[in-house]
């Protein structure tokens, strides 16, 4: 073997300088700039560049020494595009002395890289998670040596640690902080069941603080001692596995075989001999082995990734002494999150867990076998969730659908809880009312509709006794994705919604974003008051392509069936007329193309701004239906932000002024024969719902879990009698009719 002392010394020197640079105070971009300069200087190259993922499909040049500095944060490429994209996609280094001749080479003129012939790119990755690409280039045509390749891989490993820890985030470099927004992960069912809880990360971060081993013999000894301890742990688990079934014992036997693999231990020893510490050698072998196994077409070999990670992480904890006890307490209702989990680890937790979510795995994996034995809901293939999740984050696990909601929007959380609540004991008392109409003692019937936004909501349509879906929130399908959904995806979803409704009425609300609902892939708007800013129909009309795509999806999903579409946050008649014209135009285009169009197309508006109540008669006549959006209308009527706890509870829905305003809307709709409904939180509150019905609103849309209580109260009351009570209270000058309504209810 060639004498490597000189190259090892250079590698150690570079790592020490890199460590010092990362420890120096400064912003994220400043660190990136100093690192590229340091690497280029240490390796004697003309160029060093760092590319990081902007999103799962896009790489961005974030720092460079040698290329045109103006290209930083402007040069981007897709995953697999060019040599950099190839390294990112495959996880395999590219080393060439003639970069332009390489297959897939892409010339980026803005970088000024045409004068550099040689190219060496290595993935910035940690335990299989690819975070970017580290590149060095030189003018002379030559391949870089094995020592140079090895040294750059070690540097990339350290950069991966720092990238994941957020060392390079900052306001000025466009690399934003993570772990803030709601995220949905669509995986695969590993074990059925549903759970709501708090995140518990399976692997607390093991930080490798000593990547360079000053004494190879001492590092080798530390590794050997840790491996012996690890093997003893596995042997003890097997000894204690008498009570396990055959499948579980076979899992541990396979686990033991890998722990005793001589090749695994030998490769880590070779890394130590080349200058790494024992910890760095374990992590480097873990990442390298993952890169190899992920490319294997053999599913059995790919399945060994889980056992490899489990063993490697146990070994790292033994070496670092960091352990799993970080001082954090297991939260109430813990949901375990892991890239993967070995059978021993899952058995350690036992039945304390409410659910398990894995980035990888398979239905027949070792983890799935144990999860089924413990009856723990399990979702697998939830890609990147370990990067997104933090201990304590709220999380919803739908093992039946293979879907996970991390830091869910409140509307998503409410829908999920309703799904569980409808099956809970508390709802049993309303079971006998499910198939009965909401008819009061005087014979008046009120249509009770449900709000929905997910396919998971639709089973509640039948189980709750709802008459239909008064509001299907289409924005949830945009909020839970990292990109704009495709028309075909939306059409398929809307079709499934209509199929699940089985002929019952469904009103689709077009995209309602802005205010408190910001798309993760949409640049946030710097607005002083987003609730009254660029949102809902205003976005749709300003971005007609998105609106047109959604309208086409709705028309195609109907497949000739009746379709109801309503536009949100209409403030002026012109906005409604423009949106209505767009829908009719798309309907006519579909017809000319020979596609089926809805047998009946009803077009309505959500009345959420007080201005619309004073619109000309022609507006009400043009609307097939109007739905009062109570949440927004109330906040604008009282000038009280519904997100502000200090003021939103100050104002009563049964305030006389507000109800008088509602009556004005009712009267306008009665004159124009426009169907009217009330949608919002108040529609699901029995007292408020009963009051609206008494005033003349004959359709209410609410959470599924509210339908039983509201129906129960309506069937006990006389709406005509309650209306007389309300009018008398108002005539008497009462600021709120609530006391009078409550007094009436006390007589029932």
């Amino acid at each position: 073997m060639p004498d490597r002392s000189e190259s090892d010394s250079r590698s150690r020197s570079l790592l020490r300088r890199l460590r010092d640079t990362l420890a120096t105070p400064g912003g994220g971009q400043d660190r990136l700039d100093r690192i590229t300069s340091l690497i280029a200087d240490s390796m004697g190259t003309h160029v060093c560049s760092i590319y990081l993922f902007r999103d799962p499909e896009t790489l961005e040049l974030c720092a460079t020494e040698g290329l045109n500095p103006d290209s930083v944060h402007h040069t981007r490429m897709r995953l697999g595009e060019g040599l950099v994209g190839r390294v990112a996609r495959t996880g395999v280094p590219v080393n060439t002395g003639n970069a332009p001749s390489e297959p897939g080479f892409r010339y980026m003129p803005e970088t000024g890289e045409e004068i550099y012939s040689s190219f060496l790119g290595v993935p910035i990755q940690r335990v299989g998670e690819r975070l970017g690409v580290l590149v060095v280039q030189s003018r002379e045509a030559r391949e870089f040596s094995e020592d140079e390749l090895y040294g750059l891989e070690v540097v990339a490993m350290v950069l991966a640690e720092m990238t994941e820890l957020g060392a390079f985030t900052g306001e000025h470099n466009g690399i934003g902080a993570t772990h803030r927004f709601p995220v949905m992960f669509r995986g695969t069912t590993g074990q059925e069941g549903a759970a709501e809880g708090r995140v518990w990360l399976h692997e607390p971060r093991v930080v490798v603080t000593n990547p360079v081993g000053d004494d190879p013999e001492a590092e080798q000894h530390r590794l050997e001692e840790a491996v012996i301890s690890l093997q003893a742990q596995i042997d003890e688990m097997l000894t204690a596995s008498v009570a396990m079934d055959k499948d579980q014992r076979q899992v541990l036997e396979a686990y033991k075989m890998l722990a005793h693999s001589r090749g695994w231990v030998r490769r880590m020893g070779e890394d130590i001999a080349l200058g790494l510490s024992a910890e760095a050698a374990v992590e480097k072998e873990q990442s390298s082995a993952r890169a190899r196994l992920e490319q294997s077409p053999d599913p059995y070999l790919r399945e060994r990734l889980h056992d490899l990670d489990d063993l490697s992480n146990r070994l790292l904890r033994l070496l670092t002494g960091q352990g799993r006890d970080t001082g954090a307490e297991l939260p109430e209702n813990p949901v375990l999150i892991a890239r993967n989990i070995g059978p021993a680890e899952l058995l350690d937790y036992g039945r304390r867990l409410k659910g398990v979510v894995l980035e990888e795995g398979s239905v027949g994996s070792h983890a799935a076998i144990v999860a089924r034995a413990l009856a723990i809901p399990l979702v697998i293939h939830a890609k990147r969730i370990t990067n997104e999740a933090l201990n304590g984050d709220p999380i919803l696990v739908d093992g039946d659908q293979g879907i996970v909601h991390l830091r869910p929007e409140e509307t998503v959380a409410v829908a999920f809880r309703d799904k569980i609540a409808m099956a809970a004991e508390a709802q049993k008392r309303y079971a006998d009312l499910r198939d009965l109409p909401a008819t009061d003692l005087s014979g008046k019937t009120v249509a009770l509709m449900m709000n929905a936004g997910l396919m998971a909501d639709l089973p509640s349509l039948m189980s709750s006794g709802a008459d239909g879906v008064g509001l299907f929130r289409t924005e949830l399908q945009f909020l839970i994705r990292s990109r704009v959904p495709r028309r075909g995806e939306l059409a398929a979803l809307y079709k499934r919604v209509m199929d699940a409704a089985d002929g019952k009425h469904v009103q689709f609300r077009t995209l309602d974003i802005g205010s408190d609902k910001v798309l993760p892939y949409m640049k946030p708007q710097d607005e002083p008051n987003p609730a009254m800013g660029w949102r809902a129909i205003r976005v749709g009309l300003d971005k007609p392509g998105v609106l047109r795509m959604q309208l086409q999806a709705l028309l195609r999903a109907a497949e000739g069936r009746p379709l109801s579409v309503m536009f949100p946050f209409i403030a002026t008649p012109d906005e409604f007329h423009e949106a209505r014209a767009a829908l009719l135009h798309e309907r006519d285009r579909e017809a000319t193309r020979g596609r089926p169009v809805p047998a009946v197309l009803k077009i309505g508006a959500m009345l959420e701004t007080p201005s619309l109540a004073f619109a000309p008669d022609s507006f009400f006549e043009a609307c097939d239906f109007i739905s009062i959006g109570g949440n927004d209308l109330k906040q604008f009527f009282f000038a009280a932000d519904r997100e502000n706890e200090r003021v939103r509870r100050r104002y009563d829905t049964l305030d006389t002024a507000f109800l008088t305003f509602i009556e004005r809307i009712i009267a306008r709709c009665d004159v124009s024969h426009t169907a009217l409904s009330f949608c919002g939180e108040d529609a699901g509150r029995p007292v408020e719902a009963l009051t609206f019905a008494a005033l003349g609103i004959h359709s209410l849309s609410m959470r599924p879990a509210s339908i039983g209580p509201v129906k129960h109260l309506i069937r006990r009351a006389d709406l005509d009698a309650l209306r007389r009570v309300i009018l008398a209270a108002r005539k008497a000058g009462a600021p709120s009719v609530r006391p009078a309504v409550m007094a009436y209810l006390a007589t029932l």
Side-chain angles (χ1 to χ4, degrees), residues 189-192 244-252 254 300 303-304 306-307 341-344 346-347 351 356 358 361-378 380:
T189 297
Q191 167 67 14
E192 291 79 7
M244 294 182 185
D245 61 27
K246 180 180 178 181
D247 285 341
Q248 292 172 334
R249 184 171 180 83
Q250 286 179 345
V251 164
L252 285 178
Y300 176 81
E303 185 57 37
R304 299 286 67 76
H306 307 286
D307 299 334
I341 187 168
L346 191 51
L347 287 168
R351 298 183 186 276
V356 179
L358 304 179
S362 65
V363 175
S365 69
H366 295 165
I369 292 171
V370 175
R372 280 193 286 273
L374 299 176
I376 299 172
L378 169 67
I380 57 178

Side-chain angles (χ1 to χ4, degrees), residues 322-340:
Q322 293 178 27
R324 293 175 59 202
D325 185 6
T326 62
E329 294 184 2
L330 195 71
E332 186 178 357
N333 299 323
V335 173
L336 188 72
I337 303 296
R339 183 182 304 280
N340 53 65

Side-chain angles (χ1 to χ4, degrees), residues 78-339:
R78 304 292 291 172
L79 185 65
E81 182 181 12
L83 299 186
V84 173
R86 190 169 104 193
V87 173
R89 179 176 55 81
T90 64
V92 177
V94 171
N95 183 6
T96 177
N98 188 0
S101 68
E102 283 290 313
F105 173 81
R106 182 191 169 195
Y107 172 54
M108 301 283 194
E110 71 275 15
T111 64
E113 64 179 340
E114 66 275 7
I115 62 175
Y116 304 109
S117 182
S118 60
F119 176 100
L120 174 59
V122 299
I124 301 173
Q125 61 185 359
R126 183 181 187 272
V127 196
E129 181 62 29
R130 290 163 196 159
L131 305 171
V133 178
L134 176 61
V135 175
V136 292
Q137 295 171 270
S138 290
R139 292 188 183 91
E140 65 273 17
R142 70 176 184 93
E143 286 194 13
F144 290 87
S145 68
E146 290 185 9
D147 289 346
E148 290 171 314
L149 170 58
Y150 169 77
L152 199 63
E153 287 180 322
V154 173
V155 170
M157 183 183 71
V158 177
L159 291 181
E161 295 277 353
M162 302 309 297
T163 301
E164 197 171 347
L165 287 171
F168 307 125
T169 60
E171 296 179 1
H172 304 298
N173 63 2
I175 303 173
T178 56
H179 315 301
R180 293 176 54 193
F181 300 108
V183 188
M184 186 201 77
F185 299 88
R186 187 177 297 279
T188 304
T189 297
Q191 167 67 14
E192 291 79 7
E196 177 179 9
R198 296 279 174 175
V199 165
W200 180 253
L201 291 170
H202 169 54
E203 289 295 344
R205 187 172 184 79
V206 177
V207 180
V208 178
T209 59
N210 56 332
V212 179
D214 295 324
D215 185 345
E217 290 186 6
E219 295 299 316
Q220 183 68 42
H221 179 70
R222 291 178 62 231
L223 177 67
E224 291 172 355
E225 290 293 318
V227 169
I228 290 171
S229 297
L230 175 64
Q231 292 170 344
Q233 288 180 1
I234 305 304
D235 291 342
E236 287 174 9
M237 283 189 286
L238 272 168
T239 302
S241 66
V242 177
M244 294 182 185
D245 61 27
K246 180 180 178 181
D247 285 341
Q248 292 172 334
R249 184 171 180 83
Q250 286 179 345
V251 164
L252 285 178
E253 289 286 0
Y255 197 62
K256 177 181 178 179
M257 288 179 62
L258 184 53
H260 287 265
S261 167
R262 292 183 179 179
W264 182 53
V265 177
R266 186 191 70 249
R267 287 189 295 273
M268 291 186 291
E270 290 172 349
D271 288 334
I272 288 175
L274 293 174
L276 287 183
S277 67
E279 292 90 340
V282 173
E283 188 166 281
K284 182 176 182 297
E285 171 57 23
Q286 185 180 9
S287 294
S288 299
R290 285 187 61 88
R292 292 194 304 269
L293 291 175
E294 284 175 342
Q295 301 300 316
S296 173
D298 188 336
Y300 176 81
L301 289 178
R302 291 198 303 272
E303 185 57 37
R304 299 286 67 76
L305 285 172
H306 307 286
D307 299 334
L308 168 69
D309 280 345
D310 196 3
L311 287 171
S312 298
N313 292 331
R314 282 176 176 264
L315 190 54
L316 280 169
R317 289 197 296 269
L318 288 168
L319 284 165
T320 61
Q322 293 178 27
R324 293 175 59 202
D325 185 6
T326 62
E329 294 184 2
L330 195 71
E332 186 178 357
N333 299 323
V335 173
L336 188 72
I337 303 296
R339 183 182 304 280

Side-chain angles (χ1 to χ4, degrees), residues 345-413:
E345 298 283 355
L346 191 51
L347 287 168
D348 284 347
Y349 287 104
R351 298 183 186 276
R352 292 180 295 167
L353 301 176
K354 287 294 182 180
V356 179
V357 182
L358 304 179
E359 287 198 358
E360 301 173 4
S362 65
V363 175
S365 69
H366 295 165
I369 292 171
V370 175
R372 280 193 286 273
L374 299 176
I376 299 172
L378 169 67
V379 172
I380 57 178
H381 301 153
K383 298 297 185 183
R384 295 182 60 82
I385 192 168
T386 57
N387 277 0
E388 291 285 351
L390 295 177
N391 273 341
D393 277 344
I395 188 170
L396 311 173
V397 181
D398 187 340
D400 300 321
Q401 301 292 326
I403 293 174
V404 179
H405 296 279
L406 179 65
R407 298 183 294 273
E409 289 279 342
E410 184 59 24
T411 49
V412 176

